[in-house]
Amino acid sequence: MDSKIVNLRSKLEVYKAVSGGGNFSNCPVREVIQGVSGKWSSLLMMALAEQPYRFGELRRLVPDISQRMLTQTLYDLQRDGYVHREVFPTKPPSVEYSLTDLGQSMFGALHQLILWAELNHDAVRGARADFDAAQA
Amino acid sequence: MDSKIVNLRSKLEVYKAVSGGGNFSNCPVREVIQGVSGKWSSLLMMALAEQPYRFGELRRLVPDISQRMLTQTLYDLQRDGYVHREVFPTKPPSVEYSLTDLGQSMFGALHQLILWAELNHDAVRGARADFDAAQA
DNA sequence: TAGTGCTGGTCTCTTTTTGAGACCGCCACT
DNA sequence: AGTGGCGGTCTCAAAAAGAGACCAGCACTA
């Protein structure tokens, strides 16, 4: 009993220490992470890290994204400073999207996660299969 | 004109080369990334990387998560093999969540992104403010 | 010259996901 | 007898995402 209470207390102290004195609300890291955590954000970052692409090219590259979400996700990435949008006055006008310096910098970190996923996706699939089998 | 067509063609070759010969659908990396890309996943991974927590503790740690999403996100993380769930037969029963080895391994990669966010969140906020100002 | 297609989007409608909050049994403590 | 913590589930409303029609302008084809 007492040990449980003491245990909880020590944990709550850690809780206060998390992310520089506050709790997880108002955490500046959080909004940055959430900006990247959209369903399509990392995918588009991967594509644009490879090379600049135009709107239609991205749409073909990620066939199951809707035009609406492509527009919106690119807008959000541009707003956060990761992506540069340039309109060329050709006919019809073409729009090219590319990574900014900030975007390339962020992709460097994101890349670690992508590499991990490449190495471990079979382990994750295995865990998922085991879990589903155990549930049934 | 011709240059544009050739340009597109070369890009489409790159498109075929992306992620090992296919396009971005059916990409095994994608499902792994998307598993981590939930709104709450990375936050809970951060918390559990620090130490194991119980359900109610996590709820206090992340005050603006609903109980529903906490349950579901933990379930998903458990399903993907990142999180271990253990029920202790106390009264009332307590449930402890902790990272598995796979979870700790994945967090190593995720941590890079978190570190980047800690270093650059002000740059992102600045970009966002500039963008919003330019839009107005 | 009429038809077709490509450009990068926006607009509307439907479906899915998320959030807010009530509710549950069980037990300890007051 | 009442209150509160435990770890959830259930229902209903709100927000986000997906599907697909539509747009103007120009090039190319028939």
Side-chain angles (χ1 to χ4, degrees):
Chain A
M1 245 353 126
D2 281 55
S3 68
K4 283 189 65 179
I5 294 178
V6 170
N7 200 10
L8 176 61
R9 194 157 297 164
S10 73
K11 285 178 182 173
L12 287 179
E13 288 179 325
V14 174
Y15 153 61
K16 287 185 181 176
V18 163
S19 74
N23 56 15
F24 275 116
S25 335
N26 296 16
C27 175
V29 172
R30 232 182 100 164
E31 48 182 330
V32 176
I33 296 292
Q34 296 214 349
V36 192
S37 291
K39 181 171 181 183
W40 305 107
S41 314
S42 48
L43 214 53
L44 293 178
M45 288 294 298
M46 282 175 67
L48 295 177
E50 197 188 356
Q51 66 175 261
Y53 279 110
R54 288 172 45 188
F55 188 87
E57 294 176 306
L58 287 170
R59 195 152 55 95
R60 284 188 290 274
L61 203 56
V62 186
D64 54 345
I65 193 176
S66 68
Q67 218 160 348
R68 210 179 68 84
M69 286 315 291
L70 182 53
T71 301
Q72 185 178 315
T73 306
L74 287 171
Y75 181 90
D76 291 344
L77 290 175
Q78 188 193 355
R79 192 171 101 101
D80 282 3
Y82 302 130
V83 161
H84 173 69
R85 178 180 186 270
E86 190 161 8
V87 181
F88 294 99
T90 57
K91 314 167 240 171
S94 60
V95 182
E96 189 181 79
Y97 292 91
S98 56
L99 288 195
T100 61
D101 289 347
L102 190 66
Q104 299 209 5
S105 166
M106 191 273 274
F107 183 76
L110 180 61
H111 193 50
Q112 301 300 313
L113 198 57
I114 294 168
L115 290 177
W116 187 92
E118 282 175 5
L119 290 175
N120 298 94
H121 61 81
D122 46 351
V124 173
R125 254 205 308 271
R128 205 176 291 184
D130 291 353
F131 186 84
D132 291 349
Q135 288 309 85
Chain B
M1 249 354 126
D2 281 57
S3 70
K4 282 189 65 179
I5 293 179
V6 170
N7 199 8
L8 177 59
R9 194 156 297 163
S10 73
K11 285 179 182 174
L12 288 179
E13 289 179 324
V14 174
Y15 152 60
K16 287 185 179 175
V18 162
S19 74
N23 55 17
F24 273 117
S25 335
N26 296 15
C27 176
V29 171
R30 230 181 102 165
E31 48 181 330
V32 175
I33 297 292
Q34 296 215 349
V36 191
S37 291
K39 181 172 181 182
W40 305 106
S41 313
S42 47
L43 214 52
L44 293 178
M45 288 295 299
M46 281 175 68
L48 295 177
E50 197 190 356
Q51 66 176 259
Y53 279 111
R54 289 173 44 187
F55 188 87
E57 292 176 307
L58 287 172
R59 195 152 55 95
R60 283 188 289 273
L61 204 54
V62 187
D64 54 346
I65 193 175
S66 67
Q67 217 160 347
R68 212 180 68 83
M69 287 312 293
L70 181 53
T71 302
Q72 184 178 317
T73 306
L74 286 170
Y75 181 92
D76 292 344
L77 290 175
Q78 188 193 355
R79 192 172 100 101
D80 283 4
Y82 301 130
V83 160
H84 173 69
R85 177 180 187 269
E86 190 162 7
V87 182
F88 294 99
T90 56
K91 313 167 237 169
S94 60
V95 181
E96 189 181 77
Y97 293 91
S98 56
L99 288 195
T100 62
D101 289 348
L102 189 67
Q104 299 209 4
S105 166
M106 190 273 273
F107 182 77
L110 180 62
H111 193 50
Q112 301 300 312
L113 198 57
I114 294 167
L115 289 177
W116 187 91
E118 281 175 5
L119 290 176
N120 298 95
H121 61 81
D122 46 350
V124 173
R125 254 205 309 270
R128 205 177 291 184
D130 291 353
F131 186 85
D132 290 349
Q135 288 309 88

